[in-house]
Amino acid sequence: MRHVMSPLDFSTEELDQLLDLANDIEKDPEKYAHACEGKRLATLFYEPSTRTRLSFEAAMMALGGKVLGFSSADSSSASKGESVADTIRTVSCFAHIAAIRHPKEGAPLVASMASKIPVINAGDGGHQHPTQTLTDLLTIRSLKGRLNNLTIGLCGDLKFGRTVHSLIEALVRYENVKFILISPEELRVPSYIRDDVLRANHKDFQEVIRLEDALPQLDLLYMTRVQRERFFNEEDYVRMKDFYILDKAKMDLAPDHMLVLHPLPRVNEISVEVDSDPRAAYFKQVQYGMYVRMALILTLLEVKVC
Ligand code: CP
């Protein structure tokens, strides 16, 4: 039995296989429509979500399986003090696989240690969001045709943005990927990302404050929102929240081939006028999220479709 806590739980060869499977599902969804008949996915969400929870549920339904779960801690026995370990022991009696989102870093890992079914980390605090990274990798590979030879700008809340941490960890394994980290001083990437991930892998990276300076150099711009829920006080959030706003004027500084990704939800950091730009790929990214979660469920349940 295999759990997924981080994108590094897969080798690059395994990631290629997973992304190939997701692309095959995209091409011929009918072929997979009954692959998980009789199987149940539990979505245990202790934190709010639209895309991750619904795309997991849509993925299992598109595979012919069923879903059960809860969408907030308040509506589960966590509100009575039940631990995640006891919750997953219970859910192991009802489901074949579980996706867990939790505000505390490491909670899905704790659950996996008590689980009798595969557990997928669907986002743990400010730490990791591996299935968003699978989504991002599939989007980049599908739309750019490669995961190497890219200059990627990551912009916004690089301190608390778990999608950024997971994506950097995944991309350092590919050749000639350069990173431009665009953030205000207070929201720079954590030092473990800078030292243990980027420097330790001898990656070319720069940290800049002005988005305008980075834009002309980029193959990809990965925008993120400021993570209000992880700030200690509202005043700091209000000061930071509109630090970056990508609008038409800024898009004019970017190359024609640059794609804009965003894990969503968006607040103000991408102006809606950018949505009609052919380089805006963040809603396509959402669609890829369902295909890659279908591929992940099939892989963890060891279901083969010929
Ligand atoms: N990208 C993402 O995790 O979105 P949700 O919070 O809506 O799941």
Side-chain angles (χ1 to χ4, degrees):
M1 185 175 63
R2 187 166 189 185
H3 307 291
V4 176
M5 295 297 122
S6 146
L8 301 185
D9 292 341
F10 292 106
S11 67
T12 50
E13 291 75 22
E14 287 175 320
L15 274 179
D16 274 343
Q17 284 167 16
L18 194 73
L19 303 186
D20 287 346
L21 178 56
N23 282 138
D24 196 57
I25 293 168
E26 178 193 6
K27 268 193 235 120
D28 189 1
E30 265 309 303
K31 188 168 126 191
Y32 297 88
H34 304 284
C36 284
E37 265 171 10
K39 305 280 187 198
R40 289 179 294 278
L41 162 78
T43 51
L44 313 179
F45 276 58
Y46 296 81
E47 247 196 0
S49 166
T50 296
R51 271 146 298 275
T52 311
R53 186 171 66 83
L54 297 184
S55 67
F56 263 117
E57 296 186 356
M60 191 49 148
M61 289 190 249
L63 293 167
K66 293 201 162 66
V67 296
L68 65 162
F70 52 82
S71 57
S72 73
D74 289 351
S75 63
S76 78
S77 284
S79 62
K80 303 174 204 161
E82 186 167 63
S83 67
V84 287
D86 284 358
T87 300
I88 197 69
R89 281 187 193 107
T90 303
V91 170
S92 296
C93 302
F94 310 141
H96 301 91
I97 186 166
I100 303 186
R101 171 171 288 189
H102 202 286
K104 283 204 184 123
E105 288 83 357
L109 179 64
V110 171
S112 71
M113 292 190 282
S115 183
K116 293 193 168 66
I117 58 175
V119 172
I120 303 167
N121 177 3
D124 62 329
H127 184 218
Q128 294 275 350
H129 193 346
T131 63
Q132 181 64 49
T133 300
L134 298 178
T135 302
D136 301 339
L137 296 178
L138 179 64
T139 307
I140 297 168
R141 202 186 73 159
S142 302
L143 300 182
K144 282 289 196 197
R146 64 187 193 277
L147 289 170
N148 53 14
N149 299 320
L150 291 166
T151 299
I152 301 181
L154 298 120
C155 177
D157 183 351
L158 308 188
K159 179 178 180 182
F160 296 118
R162 59 193 172 198
T163 61
V164 166
H165 308 158
S166 290
L167 184 58
I168 293 174
E169 287 199 2
L171 283 172
V172 294
R173 298 192 289 181
Y174 295 90
E175 292 288 310
N176 194 29
V177 175
K178 296 178 186 152
F179 298 91
I180 304 186
L181 307 175
I182 309 150
S183 74
E185 185 63 32
E186 290 97 320
L187 298 179
R188 288 170 68 196
V189 287
S191 55
Y192 83 90
I193 294 285
R194 202 175 304 114
D195 296 331
D196 304 342
V197 181
L198 290 163
R199 289 199 178 110
N201 285 284
H202 311 290
K203 285 293 151 188
D204 184 339
F205 77 96
Q206 321 167 27
E207 293 185 276
V208 302
I209 295 177
R210 278 170 47 86
L211 175 58
E212 293 86 336
D213 294 341
L215 277 168
Q217 307 170 57
L218 301 180
D219 298 309
L220 274 173
L221 173 62
Y222 193 89
M223 291 296 292
T224 61
R225 82 186 157 91
V226 176
Q227 305 266 309
R228 178 183 206 158
E229 64 276 31
R230 313 215 190 278
F231 272 71
F232 291 112
N233 68 70
E234 182 70 6
E235 228 173 79
D236 284 348
Y237 167 72
V238 169
R239 196 164 44 80
M240 292 286 124
K241 73 183 174 69
D242 292 330
F243 202 94
Y244 298 107
I245 298 180
L246 182 68
D247 56 15
K248 250 174 172 306
K250 290 201 185 71
M251 286 299 284
D252 288 343
L253 302 173
D256 290 345
H257 68 266
M258 186 194 81
L259 291 181
V260 183
L261 302 187
H262 190 312
L264 305 179
R266 144 180 69 183
V267 187
N268 286 330
E269 61 281 355
I270 302 181
S271 167
V272 290
E273 68 188 15
V274 176
D275 295 357
S276 55
D277 188 301
R279 296 168 289 182
Y282 30 92
F283 289 110
K284 283 187 201 140
Q285 195 178 351
V286 174
Q287 183 73 59
Y288 283 122
M290 187 185 81
Y291 297 133
V292 90
R293 289 182 176 100
M294 288 171 77
L296 183 62
I297 291 168
L298 290 173
T299 303
L300 294 182
L301 292 179
E302 300 179 359
V303 175
K304 297 261 183 281
V305 177
C306 301

